[in-house]
Amino acid sequence: MKKILIVCAAAVLLLSGCAKKAEAAKDAGTGSLVVWSFTDELKTMIDKYYTVDKPGVKIDYSLTPTDQFPNKLDPVLASGQGAPDVFALEDAFVRKYIESGLLLDLTDLANEVKGKQLAYPIEVGTYNGKVYGLSWQATPGAMFYRRSLAKKYLGTDDPAEVQKYMANLDKFVETAAVLKEKSGGKCVVVSSTGDMFMPFKGARKDPWVVNGKLVIDPAMISYMDMAKTLKQKGYEGRAGQWSEGWFAGMKGTLKDEKGADVEVFSYLLPTWGLHYVLKTNAPDTAGDWAMIPGPAPYRWGGTWVAAYKGTKNVQAAKDFIKYVTSDDGFLERWAKDTGDVVSNNNVTAKIKDSYAEPFLGGQNHYASFVEMAKAVDGKLTQGTDQAVEGLFNEAVTAYIEGEKSRDQAIEDFKSQVSAQLGL
């Protein structure tokens, strides 16, 4: 009798497990989701791929401009009234939400796919050991340089050889001096000191906040010194990032205050910078550029996908996020259709050797970006970064403009962080 009861109990458990699996499978392929985004990339993914592969899922999609997106998302997540099931999060504010306690725990999903995913996007989406956001893409930063200037002043335009001149932050400054000397002061290594912020930020060992206290990594002190050196010695073009002069440098039309030509050797930009900044603003220079890792690994930008913790459609939300951030078949098609560097290692390994970018003189930029992404440390990203870095860059400007000594600028920065952020 005892044996019969045990067998019956096992059968009940087996049937129950099968029923749950069947229900989960049903939920994953059917249902409805409300999806909010600030980028039309998600719209394309839904219309061209997801709803084609998963016709049983109905998507109610809404697009809001990036600068208005947090103001739209914050109140509904806080109240739970009208909150979307799934939403996109931009790099500038992704950690604010990852650390908010308002997102659905995606740790089980991350554990399922992490074996084939690039590490740093998952690290950015992780807080206190749990994963709350995943990304389909990688946006490592590179150094783009003019081949003609490299050949003229360094004797080679070969990326492997030029990288030796930019192997670390000290070599970068040494090469800036070489460019100035050999060009008679005409060639500057970058257009703006601000171009170097991301590489120095990526070179840190610690994030801005450790155990609730502000930490100024030595790399950021080096950034202050490097920015001062570049300005004082005339190694930069004195054209702020995103200014008219900054774009003129890409085109080879930058002038100094006396009207003399200024040659800009390089720009520090990530994956999207190639397609949406250099190629669109300097089309006449196509073929005269090349790409190297530069002095330090870094990243810039990117989009993560997360879900509201109170969503009634947990399984459908997870299925959607799993699809857009990790599905092999979808991401291979997406990468081939858009040129996006994806975070799925299976896909990048399969397609990376098939690229040759004419704008870079035929260089395989995709394979280079895939390698650069492996060196990025996603654990350096925190929710307070934007606020801290805004104050830090004010301190850097005051120092390099001679308004404050370095020590005074740092002390004032610490005081402002304490007063405004309580760190």
Side-chain angles (χ1 to χ4, degrees):
M1 184 64 181
K2 186 176 181 181
K3 287 183 178 179
I4 293 174
L5 288 174
I6 291 173
V7 170
C8 288
V12 169
L13 288 173
L14 181 62
L15 290 172
S16 175
C18 290
K20 287 180 179 177
K21 288 180 180 178
E23 187 64 27
K26 180 183 176 184
D27 289 346
T30 60
S32 62
L33 286 173
V34 176
V35 178
W36 287 7
S37 181
F38 61 88
T39 170
D40 58 6
E41 289 173 299
L42 220 51
K43 173 70 170 169
T44 304
M45 290 177 177
I46 291 168
D47 291 348
K48 190 175 179 180
Y49 308 92
Y50 187 72
T51 53
V52 173
D53 289 349
K54 311 245 180 191
V57 181
K58 181 183 177 184
I59 303 286
D60 180 0
Y61 174 83
S62 175
L63 177 69
T64 302
T66 306
D67 60 342
Q68 301 170 29
F69 192 72
N71 290 336
K72 180 180 178 181
L73 190 60
D74 286 353
V76 298
L77 291 187
S79 68
Q81 302 298 313
D85 298 297
V86 174
F87 39 91
L89 294 170
E90 207 268 339
D91 179 48
F93 49 74
V94 60
R95 285 294 300 197
K96 165 187 167 183
Y97 294 97
I98 294 294
E99 299 175 14
S100 70
L102 297 172
L103 304 190
L104 183 67
D105 185 353
L106 303 175
T107 306
D108 56 342
L109 178 55
N111 287 337
E112 185 180 339
V113 302
K114 68 180 182 182
K116 62 179 181 181
Q117 296 292 105
L118 187 65
Y120 98 74
I122 295 178
E123 292 170 348
V124 172
T126 300
Y127 182 61
N128 285 342
K130 293 187 176 180
V131 180
Y132 296 100
L134 294 170
S135 179
W136 71 85
Q137 62 185 175
T139 56
M143 184 175 195
F144 297 90
Y145 65 90
R146 295 291 292 269
R147 287 180 179 271
S148 56
L149 299 179
K151 206 160 190 176
K152 188 191 303 184
Y153 301 127
L154 302 180
T156 177
D157 69 344
D158 179 66
E161 294 301 313
V162 175
Q163 175 60 26
K164 294 177 183 176
Y165 285 92
M166 304 292 180
N168 53 52
L169 297 169
D170 290 334
K171 288 290 291 183
F172 171 84
V173 177
E174 290 175 16
T175 302
V178 171
L179 293 171
K180 181 180 180 182
E181 179 188 355
K182 291 193 173 182
S183 68
K186 187 177 179 181
C187 185
V188 295
V189 69
V190 288
S191 179
S192 162
T193 56
D195 284 20
M196 295 306 297
F197 178 72
M198 286 298 188
F200 275 84
K201 179 182 167 184
R204 293 174 298 160
K205 302 299 181 188
D206 289 309
W208 284 110
V209 182
V210 178
N211 296 326
K213 294 183 178 180
L214 176 69
V215 172
I216 305 177
D217 190 279
M220 303 317 295
I221 303 298
S222 297
Y223 171 67
M224 297 181 76
D225 293 338
M226 182 279 309
K228 186 88 169 179
T229 298
L230 292 187
K231 186 172 180 63
Q232 284 185 329
K233 296 193 174 183
Y235 295 162
E236 53 96 28
R238 302 191 176 188
Q241 275 185 311
W242 312 109
S243 70
E244 184 178 344
W246 192 70
F247 289 109
M250 296 175 192
K251 302 171 187 173
T253 59
L254 181 62
K255 307 285 185 183
D256 66 14
E257 57 273 14
K258 296 179 181 178
D261 291 337
V262 177
E263 297 174 330
V264 179
F265 182 79
S266 66
Y267 283 81
L268 281 297
L269 291 165
T271 47
W272 48 266
L274 169 62
H275 300 293
Y276 302 114
V277 180
L278 287 177
K279 291 169 75 171
T280 55
N281 288 285
D284 293 340
T285 62
D288 191 36
W289 294 88
M291 187 180 91
I292 55 176
Y298 69 99
R299 70 175 189 88
W300 188 354
T303 300
W304 278 255
V305 188
Y308 173 50
K309 74 172 183 180
T311 177
K312 304 296 184 186
N313 303 302
V314 172
Q315 192 57 47
K318 286 186 175 181
D319 179 70
F320 178 82
I321 294 172
K322 180 181 178 182
Y323 179 90
V324 299
T325 63
S326 68
D327 185 85
D328 289 14
F330 158 63
L331 287 175
E332 182 177 346
R333 285 179 284 157
W334 175 259
K336 289 179 176 176
D337 291 348
T338 65
D340 212 356
V341 178
V342 297
S343 57
N344 181 315
N345 294 325
N346 292 344
V347 173
T348 56
K350 186 176 181 181
I351 68 174
K352 66 182 177 65
D353 295 326
S354 61
Y355 288 83
E357 172 56 58
F359 192 82
L360 302 176
Q363 186 179 3
N364 184 343
H365 67 295
Y366 203 96
S368 298
F369 275 135
V370 169
E371 287 303 309
M372 292 175 199
K374 295 176 182 175
V376 173
D377 184 355
K379 296 187 291 295
L380 294 171
T381 306
Q382 296 176 312
T384 51
D385 282 359
Q386 199 170 23
V388 171
E389 288 164 12
L391 296 172
F392 179 74
N393 281 320
E394 288 179 12
V396 174
T397 300
Y399 172 53
I400 65 177
E401 293 297 335
E403 298 168 3
K404 296 177 182 178
S405 67
R406 191 183 76 175
D407 290 346
Q408 188 59 57
I410 292 172
E411 286 307 308
D412 289 350
F413 166 60
K414 290 179 179 177
S415 296
Q416 288 178 308
V417 170
S418 175
Q420 296 183 28
L421 303 173
L423 298 172

